[in-house]
Amino acid sequence: MARKLASEDLTPVAGGGLLHRRLFLKAGLVLATAQTATSLRAEEVAATTPRAKPEDPADPSWIHKPGLPFTGYGTPSKYEKHVVRNIGGNRTPQGDGVSWTPLEELEGIVTPSGLHFERHHDGVPDIDPAVHRLVIHGLVQRPLEFTVANLLRYPMRSRFLFIECGGNSNAGWHEEPIQRPAGSFHGLVSCSEWTGVPLSLLLDEAGVDPKASWVIAEGADAGLLNVSLPLSKLMDDAMVGLYQNGERVRPENGYPLRLIVPGWEGITNVKWLRRLHVTDAPAMTRNETAKYTELLPSGKARMFTFVMDAKSLITSPSPGQKMHGANVYEIRGLAWSGRGKISKVEVSADGGKSWAEAELQDPVMSQCFTRFRSPWAWDGKAALLKSRATDETGYVQPERDVLIKERGREGYFHYNAIVCWAVDEDGTISHVYA
Amino acid sequence: MSMLRCVAALMIAVSVASLAVAEEDTRVKGHIDGAHGSAAVEPAASANMRLGTPLTSDDIAKWDRTIFPDGRGLPPGRGSAKEGRVIYEQKCARCHGEHGEGGTSEELVSGPTPPSPDNPSKAIGSYWPYATTIFDFVRRSMPPAAPGSLSADETYAVTAYLLAANAIIPESAEMNAETLAAVRMPNRDGFIWIDVKK
């Protein structure tokens, strides 16, 4: 049973009605949540579709007849069919583009594998694992070839890790705030449990030459995507990912194997990995020169910006959702950092004038999504919601004007500024720069 | 590292024990009705963990497609900008524009001056630090409908065409492994390495 709100529970700890982060745990309150765009749509449909005989929740028809048969591989409920990746503007050719994870529809920290974001340059290759090989050559004592079957026999490790495209959130550089659901703006990031073979085992087996300092990684997609990576990072914590969320990596995520480079931009997590060329210099491939570099106002450009800096985002309430009027709400969101664990997330309801610390939900893991929650007594007046992440290195997510002052607006990649959602008096939510 | 080696050794012990039972045919017959897929239990990596098969230099030659800015990895062959224009018009212009000005896909031509606040172009002439990158990318990725279909000569030619269109080499110049590696791009020094030291 929900306890009645005591007046001291509702004493705000920051402007705009933000309450103490522990309030939920303490009081077990029943909260209002912003209605998702989907539930809004469902209501509309329900209102306009006449039903022969309405189901009685106390005695629905499905408790009186056998259910559906077993299935070899389950799928989401038919009532959740709308929770899909938003496929971004396909150009010519069709296989070049992105699909966004619908972050605003999801909870917890794991992204279902089928909703993991995609960035393909020329489609998803249909790879026969019996034919696929991983080759390690270059500055090594023993150039080697591995079959997938053999890779599956090495000792493995599992880690929960986010993978974020270096171009995620790039609409933030635009002059006008883009109006889209949170996931279709920031959803080129997803989080999975990745299981695979530590790459250091395979590099050791090949016997890396002391002169080596770089590795060129190549995928087996049409176009053989290639990038250069410092050997030290690959020896440190990279792995050859074979499983994602317990099952073999899906085709669109790199089946049969994907290079997993914790905390580093998505492009370095090479899908369909087939070749590692150990060498003493970067190859200066197109994806580390023309792309994934950030032009600064000085005319110089940042290059090899591998680490994804701390970022956070409120997923509820967020654009496309609607508030139910003045009430106590749970603000929900995600934070992550390529440099380690999230140490703090603060939430503001007055556009950043004052901040309240959000509750970080366990587990909090390095280079992984962290779910945060914060109780908010919305008074029904216009409000500006923001979240601000701090990671264990002390790095604090910057305000947009600070980021733009430092980087200009031509960088395109690595946009990680604080995001602001405006809540209107009528309960609608939009994206604003404030 | 030594931790992992220990784990590997342990895993072998475990898997040898189960192997005695599993042996050859480890197909798991489905329970109740219908067989499920095969599930052979493979032994874990051996004590010294050597499951990689050695490659000869002939094998490597078939795999190695890396091209470095200093020209290492460039194949034999040649092509001129004039020859390249014909290939470009046939195979590239549809998406990148008649003269590389961009279409459904990226612009490929810009002036040969580094980017500035007034002209923040990231096209080849103003932004790309190395000419070898054009050869590498076009050879492996373009055209999207048939990546890898251009011969070395055709790739040199179309690279020469793009360099000439960006006013970096004269129309008459021919590109080969030596001349291409010698091209100095206007924005060669335009980059600051961030997460790794030079």
Side-chain angles (χ1 to χ4, degrees):
Chain A
M1 258 306 273
R3 205 184 57 143
K4 269 225 162 108
L5 289 181
S7 60
E8 71 271 16
D9 288 334
L10 293 178
T11 309
V13 296
L18 286 166
L19 306 176
H20 192 275
R21 67 184 197 277
R22 289 272 152 76
L23 177 66
F24 295 152
L25 304 175
K26 200 171 89 189
L29 295 173
V30 172
L31 301 154
T33 48
Q35 264 183 303
T36 62
T38 332
S39 66
L40 287 170
R41 234 176 295 133
E43 270 179 17
E44 256 169 52
V45 173
T48 52
T49 320
R51 256 223 171 113
K53 188 175 158 244
E55 291 281 1
D56 175 2
D59 192 32
S61 60
W62 50 85
I63 71 172
H64 296 298
K65 62 181 185 211
L68 295 168
F70 293 91
T71 49
Y73 200 107
T75 50
S77 160
K78 69 179 183 194
Y79 300 103
E80 301 297 324
K81 284 269 188 281
H82 52 275
V83 182
V84 291
R85 291 185 281 226
N86 178 8
I87 300 171
N90 272 348
R91 294 173 277 177
T92 340
Q94 274 207 353
D96 181 42
V98 297
S99 72
W100 280 273
T101 295
L103 296 173
E104 72 284 357
E105 297 281 358
L106 305 177
E107 249 300 341
I109 58 171
V110 172
T111 310
S113 300
L115 295 177
H116 193 288
F117 84 88
E118 301 167 280
R119 168 73 178 105
H120 311 311
H121 298 259
D122 202 357
V124 178
D126 180 13
I127 295 177
D128 178 350
V131 177
H132 190 81
R133 297 286 184 274
L134 173 62
V135 162
I136 300 180
H137 71 103
L139 291 176
V140 293
Q141 278 148 27
R142 293 170 293 276
L144 296 173
E145 176 183 277
F146 297 88
T147 61
V148 177
N150 276 345
L151 288 172
L152 287 163
R153 293 166 61 187
Y154 281 83
M156 295 198 195
R157 288 285 173 277
S158 295
R159 280 195 63 187
F160 286 86
L161 297 166
F162 75 82
I163 294 181
E164 180 175 21
C165 177
N168 192 25
S169 315
N170 69 69
W173 301 113
H174 295 180
E175 295 274 13
E176 290 301 321
I178 194 168
Q179 300 304 332
R180 279 198 198 170
S184 300
F185 172 15
H186 298 285
L188 297 184
V189 62
S190 309
C191 186
S192 303
E193 185 197 43
W194 294 99
T195 302
V197 181
L199 188 54
S200 60
L201 285 182
L202 308 180
L203 289 169
D204 277 351
E205 183 174 331
V208 174
D209 189 307
K211 288 197 296 290
S213 50
W214 286 83
V215 176
I216 323 302
E218 181 182 86
D221 49 341
L224 292 169
L225 185 139
N226 58 344
V227 291
S228 308
L229 289 162
L231 174 67
S232 55
K233 172 69 175 178
L234 298 192
M235 289 299 277
D236 183 24
D237 63 358
M239 58 181 175
V240 173
L242 291 152
Y243 293 86
Q244 179 187 5
N245 296 329
E247 64 183 357
R248 294 289 295 279
V249 173
R250 298 227 171 149
E252 70 267 34
N253 275 303
Y255 184 85
L257 34 118
R258 175 172 201 168
L259 184 59
I260 302 294
V261 190
W264 283 25
E265 49 184 8
I267 185 84
T268 66
N269 292 251
V270 176
K271 292 179 285 189
W272 315 294
L273 182 68
R274 68 172 224 144
R275 188 167 71 94
L276 293 167
H277 188 166
V278 181
T279 177
D280 58 358
M284 295 299 181
T285 70
R286 178 255 190 174
N287 281 321
E288 63 215 27
T289 55
K291 298 287 188 269
Y292 303 97
T293 51
E294 301 118 55
L295 183 57
L296 296 169
S298 65
K300 300 282 182 204
R302 291 156 52 92
M303 181 179 234
F304 299 128
T305 45
F306 294 123
V307 184
M308 298 311 293
D309 278 320
K311 194 180 214 172
S312 69
L313 174 74
I314 293 171
T315 52
S316 176
S318 65
Q321 303 174 351
K322 198 157 188 328
M323 310 290 285
H324 288 288
N327 208 329
V328 178
Y329 288 80
E330 182 177 68
I331 293 176
R332 302 168 174 173
L334 289 169
W336 61 97
S337 167
R339 296 188 193 277
K341 288 183 184 171
I342 289 295
S343 57
K344 184 165 72 174
V345 175
E346 297 153 293
V347 173
S348 174
D350 55 14
K353 286 200 212 61
S354 63
W355 297 88
E357 203 171 325
E359 180 73 7
L360 303 185
Q361 175 178 290
D362 281 340
V364 175
M365 294 182 278
S366 183
Q367 297 153 321
C368 178
F369 274 0
T370 295
R371 176 63 65 177
F372 67 85
R373 302 176 190 284
S374 189
W376 176 40
W378 183 46
D379 59 7
K381 299 211 179 80
L384 293 173
L385 295 178
K386 286 183 173 180
S387 66
R388 177 169 73 185
T390 304
D391 71 18
E392 63 179 336
T393 69
Y395 176 91
V396 182
Q397 184 182 8
E399 284 284 1
R400 183 171 181 273
D401 53 353
V402 173
L403 185 71
I404 286 181
K405 190 153 178 257
E406 185 193 306
R407 304 262 177 89
R409 293 191 38 251
E410 300 297 337
Y412 188 87
F413 299 96
H414 289 270
Y415 183 92
N416 72 324
I418 290 169
V419 180
C420 187
W421 304 141
V423 179
D424 209 351
E425 282 177 4
D426 69 1
T428 56
I429 299 144
S430 58
H431 175 215
V432 293
Y433 294 147
Chain B
M1 276 323 302
S2 58
M3 248 295 266
L4 283 168
R5 295 230 154 88
C6 277
V7 172
L10 264 173
M11 284 181 59
I12 296 135
V14 171
S15 97
V16 164
S18 54
L19 254 181
V21 191
E23 271 296 297
E24 275 273 298
D25 186 5
T26 48
R27 244 159 232 279
V28 180
K29 285 283 171 219
H31 30 80
I32 309 180
D33 47 4
H36 289 250
S38 74
V41 179
E42 293 292 340
S46 59
N48 55 4
M49 293 195 298
R50 296 263 162 97
L51 292 180
T53 316
L55 289 174
T56 65
S57 45
D58 282 353
D59 297 331
I60 295 166
K62 286 198 286 179
W63 284 87
D64 188 359
R65 287 179 172 84
T66 313
I67 290 167
F68 291 92
D70 62 6
R72 272 183 292 162
L74 280 171
R78 55 149 301 280
S80 69
K82 208 169 143 230
E83 291 156 337
R85 178 192 300 276
V86 180
I87 299 164
Y88 181 87
E89 280 164 4
Q90 280 170 1
K91 300 192 171 172
C92 321
R94 183 159 71 83
C95 299
H96 293 290
E98 213 45 54
H99 307 284
E101 70 280 12
T104 57
S105 301
E106 271 102 333
E107 56 163 346
L108 302 179
V109 172
S110 58
T113 39
S116 62
D118 300 335
N119 182 26
S121 169
K122 293 178 196 169
I124 292 172
S126 50
Y127 199 63
W128 292 38
Y130 299 99
T132 47
T133 308
I134 309 170
F135 186 99
D136 177 57
F137 185 73
V138 171
R139 181 169 71 156
R140 65 178 58 238
S141 302
M142 290 290 128
S149 61
L150 297 186
S151 68
D153 284 354
E154 288 172 316
T155 313
Y156 278 117
V158 92
T159 303
Y161 167 73
L162 289 174
L163 287 168
N166 279 282
I168 288 161
I169 61 169
E171 287 278 350
S172 56
E174 175 183 296
M175 289 290 112
N176 57 43
E178 260 167 50
T179 53
L180 181 61
V183 171
R184 195 183 160 86
M185 299 295 280
N187 199 35
R188 164 78 66 90
D189 299 323
F191 294 86
I192 312 159
W193 292 20
I194 301 293
D195 287 326
V196 59
K197 288 204 180 68
K198 242 184 198 163

